[in-house]
Amino acid sequence: MERSNPIKFGTSGWRGLIANDFTFANVRLAVTAIAEHVKSKAKKPTILVGYDTRFYSEEFSRLAVDVLQEHKIRTLLCDTFTPTPAVAYEIMRRKLDGAVNFTASHNPAQYHGLKFSSADAGPALPEATRDIEARVAKLIAKNGNPRKAGKGLGGGGQAETIQLREVYLKRLEELVRFETLQKTKVKFVADVLHGCGAGYLDRALAEHGVDVQAMRTERDCLFDGTGPDVSEENLAPLRKAVTESKATAGLATDGDADRFGIIDRDGTWIQPNHILALVYDYLIETRGWKMPAARSVATTEMIDAVGRLHGQKIFQTPVGFKYIGQLIREDKIALGGEESAGLTIRGHVPEKDGILACLLLAEMIAARGASLGEQIRQLFKKIGREFWPVRENLHLSDEQKSAALKKTAAESSTLLGRKVASVDRTDGAKFVFEDGSWMLLRLSGTEPLLRLYVEAESAAASAGLVRDATQWILKG
């Protein structure tokens, strides 16, 4: 009888429900396959093991160390909860052969996850994750699911524990102009949503003399019951803190601090799409990087408009930061970003960095002396049009999902009563209309959802596009 493979890598690692899919037996399977994969690439590999603040993170990490050492792989274990970007930076700095990082990022509390990064410090590319999945399938075919969960540490004895905070914070000093922040009277609230950003984002600001108030810094495996996502709803406590303390802005990082969330001084949640376009424009102005940017197919084309303003083209990638990471490694772009609040910049890690994103935002606000709302309006003026992207998560049955995907596969010159100028199938199906507005439908790589993305020249036009597209999908 053929057993199904419990380990499936999506756009950002393998995620599963704790005690259902994400079990000690399955973690042992996944890490065994990773160990085999790593040994096929390097003679004497060294692997870093990191983890976030979720339930059982330390126990899963110790098991991973145990398994890697059984395979005679030198293993470095983070001494405490560590942000994903700090893990990525350590791979680069020490020239390691990769990292196993236990995190489900922004997912709700009942999930755990495993991110595997390769020697290039970015999320593993599909060829690597396919190889790992194939090795898992072979292990199951040979032994069934190994039930031995690992008792303490075995193999190579005690793990070498390392602390990543100091070297990572030092790296940020090279990327962020803290002197710009020190010259102005700015005040920030840093919300780390009970995740790994505690002692990183707040400390980076405080140590450079910036007035910062930190919140939700203690570990809470239930994440206030909402999950550590930097969504508008989850940042309601940050909005309250910003308006009550009359702060310049609110800066937030998600569970593993690879994503950012921003609240303007008036309490408005600023969507990541607009932040990416602003930061790209600011980097070209202040760093002199006359270079392209990269964005995923689901991300705002406002970045393209900023590129045109500066005589630059834009790289479009499938969804998944690993594709942007490749362009960072090749030094082809000034900034890479995804609408799901992922950003990195030239010369930095080929991975999302929410801490860096928040610090660059703080620097930009201090340098320009204007609220984010004002800066967005000014950029719209410079570009000559507005961009209002929207993302909707559609919770559909499997039948509805496959019916919707079938419909998008059909070529058509008109859709939703609008003329189709072009169709892009980089990832899902993106229909670009004659007036420059667009819609994209794709299956989520991290959750069981169909995602709908639209963008038009006004909030009302985007809302209309969402309404028409949703009706069209649900018509079956």
Side-chain angles (χ1 to χ4, degrees):
M1 189 182 102
E2 201 178 292
R3 296 164 193 265
S4 66
N5 193 333
I7 319 293
K8 290 262 190 296
F9 283 81
T11 45
S12 192
W14 161 51
R15 293 182 194 170
L17 290 165
I18 297 170
N20 183 14
D21 323 294
F22 210 91
T23 60
F24 281 104
N26 284 343
V27 166
R28 176 172 278 280
L29 256 180
V31 179
T32 301
I34 287 168
E36 289 179 358
H37 169 79
V38 168
K39 286 188 85 169
S40 74
K41 301 279 177 199
K43 274 206 177 97
K44 288 187 172 174
T46 302
I47 293 289
L48 175 62
V49 176
Y51 54 95
D52 69 6
T53 59
R54 285 171 188 273
F55 180 67
Y56 257 71
S57 274
E58 295 94 331
E59 289 81 357
F60 287 132
S61 302
R62 304 298 281 189
L63 171 58
V65 168
D66 191 10
V67 172
L68 291 165
Q69 290 187 347
E70 282 167 12
H71 285 78
K72 305 286 185 284
I73 292 172
R74 182 183 171 217
T75 312
L76 305 173
L77 176 66
C78 291
D79 64 341
T80 186
F81 321 116
T82 305
T84 292
V87 167
Y89 180 61
E90 195 66 6
I91 298 171
M92 278 172 68
R93 195 180 76 86
R94 287 188 187 237
K95 298 186 168 56
L96 301 176
D97 297 285
V100 171
N101 187 8
F102 287 94
T103 175
S105 192
H106 64 289
N107 277 39
Q110 61 269 36
Y111 283 85
H112 218 309
L114 184 160
K115 285 184 178 179
F116 173 60
S117 302
S118 348
D120 56 26
L125 288 165
E127 63 201 59
T129 54
R130 277 196 297 269
D131 180 56
I132 293 163
E133 286 175 6
R135 289 175 189 276
V136 169
K138 273 186 196 154
L139 286 165
I140 293 172
K142 199 170 145 195
N143 312 313
N145 267 24
R147 291 285 156 205
K148 190 177 76 161
K151 294 177 176 61
L153 288 173
Q158 286 299 309
E160 296 172 59
T161 56
I162 58 170
Q163 191 260 90
L164 307 190
R165 186 177 308 180
E166 303 310 322
V167 289
Y168 170 75
L169 288 179
K170 219 168 192 53
R171 173 65 184 140
L172 292 179
E173 287 180 3
E174 297 164 6
L175 299 168
V176 180
R177 294 181 175 174
F178 285 103
E179 64 278 11
T180 303
L181 281 157
Q182 289 159 348
K183 281 184 210 149
T184 49
K185 282 209 68 75
V186 285
K187 174 181 170 186
F188 298 100
V189 183
D191 182 358
V192 297
L193 284 99
H194 306 293
C196 292
Y200 281 82
L201 176 57
D202 47 337
R203 199 173 129 188
L205 290 164
E207 283 186 350
H208 290 89
V210 181
D211 187 348
V212 61
Q213 168 196 335
M215 59 187 285
R216 296 199 269 193
T217 55
E218 70 292 348
R219 184 183 195 180
D220 170 12
C221 292
L222 296 177
F223 304 103
D224 292 336
T226 58
D229 187 10
V230 282
S231 63
E232 188 171 1
E233 305 75 48
N234 284 357
L235 295 187
L238 177 59
R239 171 186 290 124
K240 190 169 182 279
V242 167
T243 51
E244 284 177 2
S245 66
K246 297 189 167 48
T248 311
L251 313 169
T253 51
D254 74 338
D256 65 332
D258 68 344
R259 297 178 184 222
F260 62 88
I262 308 292
I263 300 286
D264 206 357
R265 65 178 60 161
D266 63 356
T268 306
W269 178 79
I270 306 290
Q271 61 159 298
N273 275 303
H274 287 155
I275 298 290
L276 296 173
L278 274 180
V279 174
Y280 179 38
D281 182 57
Y282 178 71
L283 287 174
I284 291 177
E285 267 177 27
T286 57
R287 305 310 196 259
W289 295 342
K290 287 271 190 184
M291 295 173 77
R295 59 160 179 79
S296 73
V297 65
T299 302
T300 180
E301 293 189 2
M302 184 174 173
I303 296 171
D304 306 50
V306 170
R308 283 193 293 276
L309 209 57
H310 296 286
Q312 299 302 316
K313 63 172 186 161
I314 301 301
F315 291 96
Q316 178 174 278
T317 71
V319 174
F321 216 79
K322 49 200 164 201
Y323 304 107
I324 286 167
Q326 280 183 298
L327 295 164
I328 285 285
R329 281 191 294 272
E330 292 161 11
D331 196 27
K332 285 185 175 169
I333 54 174
L335 169 141
E338 286 200 312
E339 55 75 42
S340 53
L343 173 156
T344 192
I345 66 169
R346 184 184 185 203
H348 192 43
V349 292
E351 174 65 276
K352 301 190 284 281
D353 190 336
I355 300 162
L356 173 67
C358 286
L359 294 172
L360 287 172
L361 247 284
E363 180 203 315
M364 183 177 77
I365 294 168
R368 289 179 165 174
S371 73
L372 291 168
E374 289 163 42
Q375 291 189 43
I376 290 164
R377 284 190 290 277
Q378 283 165 8
L379 192 52
F380 283 157
K381 267 199 193 120
K382 263 167 56 176
I383 290 165
R385 68 158 274 184
E386 296 190 10
F387 292 81
W388 292 97
V390 177
R391 175 174 83 177
E392 287 284 316
N393 293 331
L394 305 176
H395 297 264
L396 306 174
S397 67
D398 287 347
E399 289 80 11
Q400 285 175 310
K401 275 193 272 197
S402 59
L405 293 175
K406 255 198 203 97
K407 283 174 126 180
T408 60
E411 297 294 334
S412 176
S413 57
T414 57
L415 188 65
L416 317 180
R418 296 160 173 85
K419 279 214 161 121
V420 176
S422 65
V423 182
D424 189 308
R425 301 193 186 274
T426 302
D427 187 345
K430 181 177 181 177
F431 298 90
V432 181
F433 302 110
E434 270 192 337
D435 62 356
S437 63
W438 56 266
M439 69 169 260
L440 164 71
L441 265 180
R442 60 176 287 276
L443 290 169
S444 165
T446 54
E447 292 159 277
L449 302 165
L450 187 67
R451 294 207 201 275
L452 166 67
Y453 306 82
V454 309
E455 180 166 71
E457 271 193 63
S458 69
S462 291
L465 202 44
V466 167
R467 189 185 56 243
D468 295 349
T470 308
Q471 281 172 357
W472 177 72
I473 291 159
L474 295 177
K475 253 197 267 176

